[in-house]
Amino acid sequence: MLEVRNLGKLYGATPALDGVSFTVGTGEMFGLLGPNGAGKTTLMSIVCGLLDPSAGQVFLDGREFHRRDRELRRIIGIVPQDLAIYNELTARENLRFFGQLYSIPVTELETRVERILASIGLSDRADHRAGTFSGGMKRRLNLGASLVHEPKILLLDEPTAGVDPQSRNHIFEEVRRLNTQGITIVYTSHYMEEVQALCPRVGIIDHGKLIACDAVKTLLGRLASSLKFSAREIPATALSRLQSLANVKVATPNAQAVEIECQDVKQTLLQVVSILHEEQVEMTSLETAEPNLERVFLHLTGRALRD
């Protein structure tokens, strides 16, 4: 559905994007991550037709896309981070307005508006002005506005920023439902747990370059899991047996503590417990940690603050 090929964008002499290439399959839920200033907004702006690239190409639904291509622009839905709704209009009027921009026939538009109001949980507030809504309700209306013209690909830029847990969960479920209906979704967020929960595959962009693009499971495999335990006494025989386990690294910060790096923390834990039981060693504390997308992200992009 989407192919980005050697995309570049210069602002003066400063590259915002530098040779970015990736594809998103039809019906895929793809996550796009990056620190502030990494180039995500520029990339999304080019993909949805708001900016021209300085180099490279974008293909949508098998055709090269240019920002003046109105036909291809109609298959794109965009949910911007900054709310794109009118506070003085009601929820129903907002959806009607955006539908009229696409010249949807009146009868069909009314059907779509009612369906979307129900799907975003705003049927009971349909005739209330958007300016009276909570942050979560506005976010849900923002999502609804992107769906009136029934896009094939949906670009979501921080769709849950600043919302309450209930609205966040509702948006999650609606995004999943849309994806099961075949809509291709590109999802950007600073909430790593959101992306890990929703997107089987992600791309990570930093300093204008795509530094990783793979299945989440594969990216998590780049980092080891860890297992740490303490005991009042750890005999040399027990430590030797732990060190002999396959595919682990064992460290002893002190005489009462052991730290183990491994690939499969659950399997390693079973082996450790078995050895300690046989050696009659009683643990006084235990801590395990498995890789997550946030750890991978920080590993690849660094921990320095970004403005």
Side-chain angles (χ1 to χ4, degrees):
M1 178 58 67
L2 170 65
E3 180 183 359
V4 174
R5 188 183 296 177
N6 297 319
L7 207 61
K9 181 64 177 178
L10 292 172
Y11 291 109
T14 303
L17 294 174
D18 186 3
V20 173
S21 298
F22 64 88
T23 60
V24 180
T26 300
E28 184 177 2
M29 179 101 76
F30 181 78
L32 184 63
L33 304 174
N36 290 333
K40 300 191 305 301
T41 299
T42 297
L43 176 58
M44 294 284 271
S45 297
I46 292 172
V47 169
C48 72
L50 293 177
L51 286 177
D52 286 321
S54 302
Q57 298 162 292
V58 173
F59 294 83
L60 281 174
D61 204 16
R63 292 167 47 192
E64 187 172 0
F65 174 58
H66 301 282
R67 62 182 299 195
R68 294 171 184 83
D69 188 332
R70 289 181 174 271
E71 184 180 350
L72 275 182
R73 285 174 70 133
R74 291 180 69 92
I75 74 170
I76 304 168
I78 176 73
V79 180
Q81 182 176 356
D82 294 328
L83 292 170
I85 57 176
Y86 292 94
N87 286 329
E88 66 273 19
L89 299 182
T90 67
R92 180 178 279 113
E93 288 168 342
N94 266 283
L95 297 182
R96 282 175 179 163
F97 170 77
F98 285 106
Q100 288 166 354
L101 292 178
Y102 289 88
S103 302
I104 300 169
V106 174
T107 302
E108 174 62 20
L109 178 56
E110 289 303 308
T111 301
R112 293 188 193 184
V113 166
E114 295 307 314
R115 184 173 66 245
I116 290 170
L117 285 168
S119 70
I120 60 176
L122 289 177
S123 292
D124 61 337
R125 300 294 296 274
D127 296 313
H128 293 231
R129 288 190 299 116
T132 67
F133 289 176
S134 68
M137 294 166 69
K138 289 180 178 180
R139 285 286 171 193
R140 280 146 49 199
L141 182 57
N142 205 41
L143 173 61
S146 73
L147 301 173
V148 182
H149 63 295
E150 297 183 344
K152 290 185 177 181
I153 181 169
L154 189 59
L155 309 178
L156 301 172
D157 190 4
E158 302 284 348
T160 63
V163 306
D164 59 274
Q166 288 80 7
S167 286
R168 187 182 183 198
N169 183 69
H170 193 104
I171 291 172
F172 272 12
E173 293 307 313
E174 182 62 11
V175 168
R176 286 193 177 103
R177 187 188 68 81
L178 293 167
N179 187 236
T180 60
Q181 291 183 340
I183 296 179
T184 304
I185 293 175
V186 179
Y187 193 102
T188 75
S189 178
H190 285 106
Y191 299 121
M192 301 295 162
E193 71 278 8
E194 284 186 8
V195 178
Q196 186 170 339
L198 290 171
C199 305
R201 192 167 68 96
V202 302
I204 300 176
I205 189 170
D206 195 19
H207 298 297
K209 294 180 178 291
L210 191 72
I211 59 174
C213 186
D214 216 328
V216 170
K217 184 177 181 180
T218 302
L219 292 174
L220 296 183
R222 295 189 180 194
L223 298 182
S225 300
S226 66
L227 185 158
K228 304 176 183 179
F229 72 88
S230 299
R232 292 183 179 87
E233 183 179 357
I234 304 175
T237 53
L239 185 59
S240 177
R241 291 179 65 184
L242 292 172
Q243 291 171 331
S244 68
L245 292 174
N247 302 315
V248 304
K249 293 180 180 180
V250 179
T252 52
N254 55 63
Q256 286 78 42
V258 174
E259 297 180 355
I260 300 175
E261 283 191 2
C262 57
Q263 290 300 314
D264 188 336
V265 72
K266 296 180 179 67
Q267 180 63 31
T268 302
L269 179 58
L270 291 174
Q271 295 172 319
V272 168
V273 169
S274 177
I275 291 171
L276 296 183
H277 177 72
E278 293 170 6
E279 295 287 338
Q280 298 184 337
V281 177
E282 183 177 350
M283 285 190 290
T284 57
S285 68
L286 173 66
E287 178 184 343
T288 63
E290 294 184 89
N292 57 35
L293 198 52
E294 182 170 350
R295 286 180 57 198
V296 172
F297 180 82
L298 291 173
H299 173 74
L300 292 172
T301 63
R303 295 176 178 270
L305 294 174
R306 306 292 181 94
D307 294 329

